[in-house]
Amino acid sequence: MSTGHLTIDLSAIADNWRALDAKTNVETAAVVKANGYGMGAGRVARTLADAGARRFFVAVAEEGAAVREAVGPGPMIAVLSGHMDGDTDLIRDNSLTPMLNSVDQVLRHVESLPRQSFGIQLDTGMNRLGLEPEEWAALRDVALKQKPALLMSHLACADEPDHFMNQRQLTAFREMTDGLDVPRSLAATGGLLLGADYHFDVTRPGIGLYGGRPYEDAKTVVRLDLPVAQIRDVAPGESVGYGNTWTAQRPSRIATLAAGYADGLFRALSPGIKLFDGADAYPIAGRISMDLITVDITEMDPDRKPEIMTLMNNLQGVDALADVAGTIGYELLTQLSQRYKRSYIG
Ligand SMILES: *Cc1c(COP(=O)(O)O)cnc(C)c1O
């Protein structure tokens, strides 16, 4: 084994989906954008379709085509970026449901694919995607005649339950959609956890399925094992890695692992994270380089020569790593290397 090895637990993803679904009385969709948060959109979508998911959300039409191939003709596949210029063939050929974000997109859609399912994304304050309240007011009656499949908006601060923005956006969403006979969706993982006021007809969890915050009770989905390329002895006073940032204070043993920041293991993860040999943890020595990580295994039984060490597991999950790197689990998961061998369990 010369590259890292990602083991993705599909049954944990299905369990996380079921557990989130059980928190509401409404339909639970699944967000599989960015290749299923790095886990593999096709495998994840097929697993969740088997578990009962009937709607999937992707960021762009190309991702929708891949998910359609994986799940077959039944489920709705919603495209969050809407109907962008050049997407018409992909949307038609894969029966995608664009979430239309602007007046231009609405016109493009009804002119090019007048009978094709669509939804409407409304801006309730995040100012990223969606129709403004005034645009919606002007377009609403015409749009409703075309029978949209979903009205949706997105919360900016749902991972902070006490943030004033949640209530403000909820009120705005209600003002724009109350009394209309169209299914509604406001909540991603964070919104789902805010409670029933935020659930409407469909929730759209993403990160919670993959084991990340703010769904603290999620089952661990990812394990990352890295191959040991070399083990060496280092004398007191010798240093390890770029910039001489680590110097041996005692006779030491260093394991060099074959993965680095080019594999999504951000340089900011050094120092601070641990590598595991079974349940035993060992600190990084020096800086993470492009393709290599050096680990201080001085405390390990000197007769042991591990062939792999584990970077992500239930003891050091995606959020623990993200905290060290000063980022969020979403970024860490979606940067996991294409170089890793991937295998699926469950
Ligand atoms: C990414 C995204 C989601 C899923 O968000 P999570 O925080 O991962 O649950 C839902 N809706 C929209 C519009 C998104 O962009």
Side-chain angles (χ1 to χ4, degrees):
M1 183 173 75
S2 58
T3 68
H5 188 158
L6 269 181
T7 307
I8 295 159
D9 187 343
L10 293 171
S11 57
I13 295 177
D15 287 347
N16 289 334
W17 183 81
R18 284 191 205 94
L20 288 167
D21 183 51
K23 291 182 183 295
T24 81
N25 296 317
V26 305
E27 182 182 340
T28 306
V31 180
V32 295
K33 62 193 180 189
N35 195 27
Y37 291 47
M39 303 292 97
R43 297 298 293 261
V44 170
R46 218 174 314 143
T47 300
L48 294 177
D50 288 345
R54 304 305 297 152
R55 283 184 221 241
F56 296 93
F57 286 82
V58 295
V60 295
E62 284 78 0
E63 296 177 335
V67 173
R68 176 62 73 207
E69 185 162 334
V71 299
M76 173 191 281
I77 299 172
V79 180
L80 292 166
S81 59
H83 190 148
M84 291 172 60
D85 191 22
D87 280 353
T88 303
D89 291 349
L90 271 175
I91 289 171
R92 183 190 52 232
D93 296 347
N94 296 284
S95 301
L96 306 179
T97 302
M99 299 291 118
L100 305 177
N101 287 301
S102 64
V103 176
D104 283 352
Q105 286 200 352
V106 172
L107 294 177
R108 179 181 294 133
H109 189 73
V110 298
E111 280 168 14
S112 60
L113 297 173
R115 277 174 300 281
Q116 174 109 13
S117 143
F118 68 95
I120 302 242
Q121 188 155 193
L122 302 170
D123 179 47
T124 52
M126 189 172 184
N127 284 304
R128 187 180 68 165
L129 281 177
L131 296 170
E132 296 282 323
E134 308 74 54
E135 290 176 316
W136 176 233
L139 206 73
R140 199 173 75 171
D141 293 344
V142 179
L144 289 175
K145 283 209 187 72
Q146 310 286 325
K147 298 259 175 270
L150 191 69
L151 300 178
M152 63 166 285
S153 188
H154 193 47
L155 298 168
C157 304
D159 55 341
E160 298 175 59
D162 297 328
H163 202 292
F164 70 87
M165 191 68 173
N166 297 322
Q167 182 64 49
R168 178 184 290 186
Q169 287 192 265
L170 176 62
T171 303
F173 191 56
R174 284 202 166 287
E175 284 171 3
M176 291 167 85
T177 60
D178 270 355
L180 306 179
D181 189 21
V182 184
R184 294 186 282 182
S185 178
L186 180 61
T189 305
L192 189 157
L193 298 171
L194 291 178
D197 285 353
Y198 290 84
H199 294 166
F200 293 93
D201 301 296
V202 182
T203 64
R204 316 183 301 268
I207 193 70
L209 307 173
Y210 308 102
R213 281 205 291 259
Y215 183 35
E216 304 283 355
D217 299 332
K219 287 196 176 169
T220 302
V221 168
V222 195
R223 176 187 176 93
L224 175 57
D225 295 313
L226 303 179
V228 178
Q230 191 175 9
I231 295 176
R232 72 196 317 115
D233 294 316
V234 174
E238 287 192 294
S239 54
V240 171
Y242 284 119
N244 284 8
T245 61
W246 189 93
T247 302
Q249 307 297 317
R250 54 178 177 170
S252 300
R253 250 171 115 217
I254 298 293
T256 303
L257 313 187
Y261 60 76
D263 299 295
L265 304 177
F266 305 127
R267 199 162 166 276
L269 288 167
S270 50
I273 62 165
K274 298 182 173 65
L275 277 295
F276 291 85
D277 176 39
D280 299 328
Y282 300 92
I284 285 191
R287 284 193 186 139
I288 293 175
S289 42
M290 186 182 291
D291 313 293
L292 297 166
I293 296 178
T294 38
V295 185
D296 178 5
I297 59 165
T298 309
E299 297 290 333
M300 191 182 288
D301 173 354
D303 293 331
R304 235 189 109 58
K305 292 188 172 58
E307 290 182 359
I308 59 158
M309 296 189 80
T310 303
L311 180 66
M312 294 176 74
N313 56 16
N314 57 329
L315 301 171
Q316 183 169 256
V318 56
D319 289 310
L321 294 175
D323 287 348
V324 171
T327 181
I328 54 176
Y330 300 72
E331 187 179 24
L332 209 110
L333 284 179
T334 54
Q335 297 307 310
L336 289 171
S337 182
Q338 289 310 314
R339 274 203 293 213
Y340 297 140
K341 180 175 180 302
R342 282 166 163 73
S343 54
Y344 291 90
I345 57 173

